[in-house]
Amino acid sequence: MIKNRRLSKSIADAGWGKFVQYLEYKCLKYGKTIVKVPPSGTSQTCVCGAHVPKDLSVRVHKCPECGLTADRDVVSAMVILQRAS
């Protein structure tokens, strides 16, 4: 069903929605807090806050401001973690 262009977005959204429901339930059960962070722009931002534009083909993040060089996905995860704090 996910290959159907009309249904695929709805199915994917429902899957993520259910996943977030489970996370919220587990966090409530164990006294934890869940923070929803919008991921937009995280692959174009450095941990230092500098805007570092790059194409999807570029897999290594190199910041001209602070000199950080790391895998693009790792830096994105660090930025999301920063936004959640």
Side-chain angles (χ1 to χ4, degrees), residues 5-53:
R5 290 183 185 259
R6 292 184 182 166
L7 293 176
S8 62
K9 184 164 174 33
S10 298
I11 292 169
D13 288 345
W16 280 110
K18 195 64 167 173
F19 176 66
V20 170
Q21 273 185 336
Y22 286 136
L23 283 178
E24 289 171 341
Y25 164 75
K26 290 293 186 179
C27 287
L28 183 64
K29 182 178 178 180
Y30 293 106
K32 304 293 180 182
T33 305
I34 187 169
V35 179
K36 296 178 187 176
V37 178
S40 61
T42 56
S43 63
Q44 305 291 320
T45 306
C46 183
V47 179
C48 70
H51 182 68
V52 185

Side-chain angles (χ1 to χ4, degrees), residues 38-84:
S40 61
T42 56
S43 63
Q44 305 291 320
T45 306
C46 183
V47 179
C48 70
H51 182 68
V52 185
K54 51 189 149 315
D55 292 334
L56 284 174
S57 62
V58 178
R59 301 309 308 161
V60 177
H61 171 88
K62 293 179 183 176
C63 181
E65 300 288 324
C66 67
L68 175 67
T69 301
D71 183 79
R72 173 190 187 127
D73 296 333
V74 172
V75 175
S76 294
M78 290 167 43
V79 171
I80 289 172
L81 186 60
Q82 251 184 358
R83 290 181 182 180

